[in-house]
């Protein structure tokens, strides 16, 4: 999942040019809210969700396995960060199993933002689509078995 545009977050921010929100459970300073685009982090995050993020100042304090927005030379993504046997490399993983993990060199990273919360406009339960997909998959398997039996 891409995670919106962070270019403006790494530069000086003029409070008069930004919208401010007060959310009772998020009182610390330095928090930003951006939108999620894509399905690579589904079912944890859906397209159109808003994530609340805070910049991580030191890559050595990354909590492996947690979701982060990684702003790198090649673009910005929302992924779970995992360690790698080589210290200069990190592994980025999606929650959606159809996407393969990939490696990123630390030197190509501009900034890292920890996800502190999520707000969603979707009222569809996360497992609703999974159940429908399982039914379709089951029907396809039955149809495949029927076709194979009819060929004999």
């Amino acid at each position: 999942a891409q995670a919106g545009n962070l270019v403006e977050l790494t530069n000086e921010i003029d409070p008069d040019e930004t919208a401010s929100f007060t959310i009772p459970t998020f009182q610390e300073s330095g928090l930003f809210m951006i939108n999620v685009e894509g399905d690579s982090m589904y079912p944890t995050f859906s397209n159109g969700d808003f994530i609340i993020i805070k910049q991580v100042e030191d890559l050595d304090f990354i909590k492996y396995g947690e979701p982060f927005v990684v702003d790198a030379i090649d673009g910005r993504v929302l992924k779970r960060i995992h360690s790698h046997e080589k210290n200069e490399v990190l592994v980025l993983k999606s929650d959606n199993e159809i996407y393969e993990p990939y490696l990123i060199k630390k030197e190509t990273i501009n900034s890292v933002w920890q996800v502190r919360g999520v707000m969603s406009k979707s009222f569809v339960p996360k497992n609703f689509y999974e159940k429908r997909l399982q039914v379709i998959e089951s029907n396809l398997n039955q149809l495949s078995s029927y076709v194979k039996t009819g060929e004999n």
Side-chain angles (χ1 to χ4, degrees), residues 12-71:
E12 283 295 316
I13 298 172
D14 181 358
D16 294 331
E17 294 181 12
T18 62
S20 294
F21 298 93
T22 300
I23 303 172
T25 56
F26 297 99
Q27 294 299 318
E28 62 185 294
S29 63
L31 296 175
F32 295 90
M33 186 166 41
I34 61 173
N35 66 309
V36 174
E37 299 172 9
D39 67 347
S40 70
M41 289 300 286
Y42 182 82
T44 309
F45 304 101
S46 297
N47 188 49
D49 284 353
F50 291 91
I51 53 175
I52 299 161
I53 59 174
K54 182 168 182 141
Q55 188 169 13
V56 175
E57 299 296 331
D58 188 347
L59 291 181
D60 292 333
F61 292 102
I62 289 176
K63 297 177 183 176
Y64 293 128
E66 296 288 319
F68 289 87
V69 173
V70 178
D71 178 28

